[in-house]
Amino acid sequence: MLIVRSIWNGAISFGLVSIPIKLVNATESHSISFRQIHLEDGGRIRYRKVCELEEKEVGSAEIGKGYEDADGTIIPITDDDLSHLPLPTAKTIEIVAFVPADRIDPLQMDAAYYLAAGGAPAAKPYTLLREALKRSNKVAIAKFALRGRERLGMLRVVEDAIAMHGLLWPDEVRAPQGVAPDTKVTVNDKELDLADALMDTLGEIDLDDLHDEYREALEEVVAAKAAGETVPEAPEPAKGGKVLDLMAALEKSVRDAKESRGEEPAEVRRLPQRKSARATPKQAGGKKSTATATAKKTTASAKKTAASAKKSTAAKKTTSKSTASKSTASKTTASAKKTTAKKTTPRKRSA
């Protein structure tokens, strides 16, 4: 770990246990800072500390603290005065409670620090507190004084170290009144489903993969100016319009997220929209054409069936007539035979 200068030395008060520690900043800023210059000649603009009474510049060694009263009177406050404050937290991080981590509102989170053990004697009690926090799955709430005021802090374990987050006092966090929309809006299940699909598509990310693109672009601009080269031009931002269709925006967001990850476009069921009203006549026409074709097929089938029935009936009649003719012919033949028999029979002559 990089050795960083401590900003505060004291001790953690854990019941009757005292743990010497050093307070070290846990974060650092990588932002690019600018100097103010005179546009005419590029000269640097500096702020100088001037005494109003003597109208002369004074050095930092001659500057102290003072409290301005309501009537404008300045009351000098020395470092010695601050060191004798009647506070047990002046040089001590006093643990007052242990609570579950979810009891802490993230809105209260402030600056973060590491608590470094202050020498070998602090190793044992430091490790004891660290392991106790691990096993309890809780965080410690503490009070401490820093930069002229008493503060609230939260102690938790980060790898093998104890970190402390400065917390705002509860009355320093504003209530979110007047922030939420005052217009009554109803969100339906389909919209929530699409929002869930978008969340699932975006998924999780390793925070270590995130970086400050603005700072990188700014560094390129500075490097180009220093080399006398042309400053790179920024791409034109996408023209954003007023979102009229929330469903369409959600669907497009899901598709874009899928494509950015190299995945297949998401299958999303669309709610009926106003455009469907124009498509209705076409759909109705299509159904009508289908119904007409079906009706024509049914009529043709019926005609074929009727024709087949007529042929069958005619065939039956023909068969009946043929049978009747055969029967008549048989009768005629039988009658003829009888007649012939009568004619050929000889008559008996009388004596």
Side-chain angles (χ1 to χ4, degrees):
M1 177 180 175
L2 180 65
I3 302 300
V4 183
R5 184 175 63 87
S6 62
I7 61 174
W8 185 90
N9 295 334
I12 298 175
S13 174
F14 178 30
L16 297 178
V17 178
S18 181
I19 311 172
I21 57 96
K22 295 179 179 181
L23 197 65
V24 177
N25 282 321
T27 61
E28 58 185 0
S29 175
H30 292 161
S31 61
I32 297 176
S33 59
F34 295 100
R35 303 293 186 184
Q36 290 185 330
I37 61 172
H38 187 195
L39 293 177
E40 184 176 345
D41 54 17
R44 182 175 172 184
I45 304 299
R46 295 179 180 271
Y47 292 96
R48 297 182 179 181
K49 298 177 180 180
V50 177
C51 174
E52 293 181 352
L53 296 179
E54 298 181 348
E55 294 293 337
K56 72 174 185 179
E57 184 177 355
V58 296
S60 57
E62 301 177 77
I63 298 175
K65 299 182 181 67
Y67 174 79
E68 185 175 1
D69 206 352
D71 60 358
T73 303
I74 301 296
I75 303 173
I77 303 294
T78 66
D79 291 338
D80 186 59
D81 295 331
L82 296 176
S83 65
H84 290 87
L85 286 174
L87 286 176
T89 58
K91 284 293 181 180
T92 304
I93 298 175
E94 182 183 3
I95 295 177
V96 296
F98 292 89
V99 300
D102 58 9
R103 287 273 303 276
I104 306 302
D105 189 339
L107 285 173
Q108 289 185 253
M109 295 286 191
D110 202 356
Y113 310 93
Y114 286 129
L115 303 181
K124 178 74 176 209
Y126 186 98
T127 304
L128 172 64
L129 176 59
R130 183 191 66 197
E131 296 304 314
L133 287 172
K134 280 184 180 180
R135 192 168 70 171
S136 66
N137 291 321
K138 292 183 178 181
V139 297
I141 302 301
K143 296 169 69 176
F144 66 103
L146 181 66
R147 298 189 179 97
R149 56 171 292 198
E150 188 174 52
R151 301 168 185 264
L152 200 60
M154 178 190 74
L155 278 63
R156 69 183 183 94
V157 178
V158 177
E159 296 183 4
D160 291 332
I162 298 176
M164 181 174 70
H165 296 267
L167 298 179
L168 300 175
W169 297 98
D171 59 359
E172 292 180 320
V173 179
R174 295 177 177 177
Q177 294 178 354
V179 177
D182 55 1
T183 304
K184 187 176 181 180
V185 178
T186 301
V187 178
N188 58 48
D189 291 339
K190 291 292 184 181
E191 292 168 336
L192 285 174
D193 290 342
L194 277 173
D196 289 340
L198 178 57
M199 292 170 64
D200 292 339
T201 303
L202 293 176
E204 298 182 359
I205 191 172
D206 187 352
L207 295 180
D208 292 335
D209 294 337
L210 300 178
H211 57 279
D212 189 348
E213 296 181 4
Y214 179 84
R215 177 170 58 87
E216 292 176 355
L218 192 57
E219 288 174 348
E220 291 180 5
V221 171
V222 172
K225 294 280 287 187
E229 301 174 353
T230 304
V231 176
E233 296 184 1
E236 294 185 2
K239 295 181 180 179
K242 186 177 181 181
V243 179
L244 300 178
D245 190 343
L246 179 59
M247 295 295 293
L250 286 171
E251 290 177 2
K252 188 176 185 307
S253 299
V254 172
R255 288 195 298 269
D256 292 346
K258 284 278 188 181
E259 292 175 0
S260 67
R261 292 176 176 269
E263 301 176 8
E264 293 296 328
E267 296 182 2
V268 180
R269 292 185 178 180
R270 185 71 184 274
L271 283 176
Q273 295 183 349
R274 296 177 181 176
K275 293 182 180 180
S276 62
R278 298 180 181 177
T280 301
K282 295 181 180 180
Q283 293 176 357
K287 291 180 180 179
K288 186 175 181 181
S289 301
T290 305
T292 304
T294 304
K296 287 181 178 179
K297 289 181 180 180
T298 305
T299 304
S301 178
K303 287 181 179 180
K304 289 180 180 180
T305 304
S308 299
K310 286 182 180 180
K311 288 181 180 180
S312 177
T313 303
K316 288 181 179 180
K317 288 181 179 180
T318 304
T319 304
S320 300
K321 286 181 180 180
S322 177
T323 305
S325 299
K326 287 181 180 181
S327 178
T328 304
S330 299
K331 290 179 179 179
T332 303
T333 305
S335 177
K337 286 181 178 180
K338 288 180 180 181
T339 304
T340 305
K342 287 179 180 180
K343 286 181 178 182
T344 56
T345 302
R347 296 179 181 179
K348 292 182 179 182
R349 294 180 179 179
S350 58

